[in-house]
Amino acid sequence: MATASPLAPHSFEDAAAALAAATAEGRTVRIVGAGTKRGWGRQDGAPDIELHTTGLDEIVEHNAGDLTATIQTGASLAFAQRTFAAAGQMLALDPPLGATNGDAAGPGPTIGGVIATGDCGPLRHRYGAPRDLVVGMTIALSDGTIAQAGGKVIKNVAGYDLAKLFSGAFGTLGLILSVNVRLHPLQETSVTALGAASDPQRLSAAAVALTAAPLEFEALDVAWRGGRGGLLARCAGREGGRRARRAARLMQEHGLSGVDITDPDGQLWERQRAGQRSFGRAIVRVAAAPSALPAVVAAGDACDATLVGRAALGQSFLELEPGAVGELRGRLPAGAAAVVLDSPPGAITGEDPWGLVEGPALELMRRLKARFDPAGTCNPGLFVGGI
């Protein structure tokens, strides 16, 4: 397989010019950050050019008083978090920082990679997905146009929010050059209430009860492995201990065993995030109604899968052998969607990583692709339906 020509622009203008030149020459471009998600999405053919964003690595602005910042696409998430932490703030995104099957390690994922793929961790429970934290964006289109969407302040609502379209589009609409994001106060201390169960119905009932409780969890996660699971409720701030004790009582009332409170809890949540990555196996992200958790667990057990996920959001990450992906999809409850995020190269055959997507939603996505990247220059074939 031919090696793609690498480009590493250090300015917005150079990046836009590179896209325009590739379009004019009829060449395709694969947008690459730190390379931690090279195996995500469809891998149909090799691009002509790899455009690396790591030369665009600055925090352009940090408005601590407004809790906002502007970050270039190639800046690492870890670097950004260290910068904000010095001011007692954080970007409320906590995806795993490591790489997966055969991917680069380096400094961890870039801001652009996290936003473009919608990658996130347990903090999504309280703060939302990456698209919910983006208030504006600067982008380069395949014709060389540099455009801005949204604004720099949280209350800006003028116009249609194009930044939401580019968040999670896997770079298929164009290149994200920088993002304007909202920040939150850094929660330096937290404690976690946790309980266990060997019955997924009992675990699910406890999760529903805690979801309805007015306790403002930083995260509410589930984990399941080998016929036994756990529920984890993370509480932060001055009232964190009190809320954790209330959460523990609710767990006991719903029949969970081994209920305890962990302080400090950093390693506990690091293990949860690590469950979203794998070496040598596949990771399937399943979206289903929160009440469908027992059925998702049963499907995973039948395929010898382990599971971590967001209890209140119905989002689960299952790690399993690549050859079992088709069986897992066949066992999931009606209405569940399963996306293969990652697997060893060539390990899955006959399975589209995005699953079966059709109807008006796919047609709308194709029309958006045709509008923003009519030449098919940017990350062609990577996204849903071969977009």
Side-chain angles (χ1 to χ4, degrees):
M1 182 169 59
T3 302
S5 302
L7 292 175
H10 285 77
S11 72
F12 290 1
E13 292 74 18
D14 287 348
L19 287 180
T23 300
E25 297 166 3
R27 306 175 77 187
T28 58
V29 175
R30 178 67 187 267
I31 300 167
V32 180
T36 61
K37 300 176 180 66
R38 279 185 179 272
W40 290 30
R42 294 175 59 149
Q43 305 295 317
D44 298 341
D48 300 313
I49 298 169
E50 279 195 351
L51 194 157
H52 293 254
T53 65
T54 47
L56 305 171
D57 60 356
E58 296 181 8
I59 297 178
V60 180
E61 294 183 42
H62 177 200
N63 300 309
D66 292 333
L67 285 168
T68 60
T70 300
I71 317 169
Q72 291 184 343
T73 186
S76 75
L77 176 60
F79 166 67
Q81 297 289 34
R82 289 194 299 270
T83 301
F84 302 143
Q89 298 175 354
M90 68 174 180
L91 177 58
L93 294 173
D94 62 337
L97 296 182
T100 51
N101 292 295
D103 294 335
T110 61
I111 290 291
V114 170
I115 301 296
T117 60
D119 195 16
C120 51
L123 286 180
R124 182 177 177 179
H125 170 83
R126 180 171 183 180
Y127 300 100
R131 68 192 303 273
D132 300 308
L133 300 175
V134 175
V135 297
M137 186 178 286
T138 300
I139 54 180
L141 302 180
S142 58
D143 64 358
T145 300
I146 296 178
Q148 292 183 325
K152 293 184 180 180
V153 296
I154 295 171
K155 292 185 179 180
N156 186 307
V157 293
Y160 188 74
D161 196 348
L162 296 180
K164 294 292 191 290
L165 290 180
F166 279 70
S167 300
F170 274 63
T172 55
L173 300 180
L175 169 63
I176 299 173
L177 296 171
S178 67
V179 291
N180 307 328
V181 295
R182 62 183 303 176
L183 306 176
H184 290 84
L186 178 65
Q187 302 290 354
E188 296 183 349
T189 61
S190 63
V191 297
T192 296
L194 65 159
S198 56
D199 179 359
Q201 294 284 355
R202 180 170 294 177
L203 191 69
S204 179
V208 169
L210 265 69
T211 298
L215 295 178
E216 296 184 358
F217 299 123
E218 290 290 291
L220 182 63
D221 257 28
V222 291
W224 189 271
R225 177 188 295 270
R228 189 167 177 81
L231 180 62
L232 305 86
R234 191 175 203 180
C235 307
R238 293 181 179 179
E239 295 295 312
R242 181 184 62 83
R243 293 198 301 271
R245 290 190 292 272
R246 289 184 61 189
R249 286 195 295 270
L250 279 172
M251 291 180 185
Q252 290 173 331
E253 290 171 5
H254 284 80
L256 298 194
S257 62
V259 175
D260 196 4
I261 295 176
T262 299
D263 178 16
D265 60 356
Q267 291 186 349
L268 191 66
W269 290 96
E270 184 60 35
R271 288 197 296 271
Q272 282 296 105
R273 287 189 290 272
Q276 297 177 211
R277 298 290 189 264
S278 178
F279 289 93
R281 303 226 296 172
I283 294 291
V284 178
R285 184 181 63 203
V286 175
S291 59
L293 176 62
V296 174
V297 167
D301 278 348
C303 300
D304 192 29
T306 63
L307 178 151
V308 299
R310 317 287 93 87
L313 305 178
Q315 184 183 68
S316 302
F317 298 84
L318 287 86
E319 181 185 5
L320 70 167
E321 292 299 326
V325 169
E327 180 184 356
L328 175 70
R329 281 177 163 160
R331 290 179 177 274
L332 288 172
V339 174
V340 182
L341 289 185
D342 196 20
S343 65
I348 296 180
T349 58
E351 288 286 335
D352 189 317
W354 298 100
L356 179 62
V357 180
E358 55 187 1
L362 180 57
E363 177 58 26
L364 177 59
M365 286 187 278
R366 284 176 172 159
R367 289 171 61 185
L368 287 169
K369 174 69 171 179
R371 169 64 181 84
F372 287 97
D373 182 22
T377 301
C378 299
N379 289 358
L382 191 69
F383 200 40
V384 177
I387 293 173

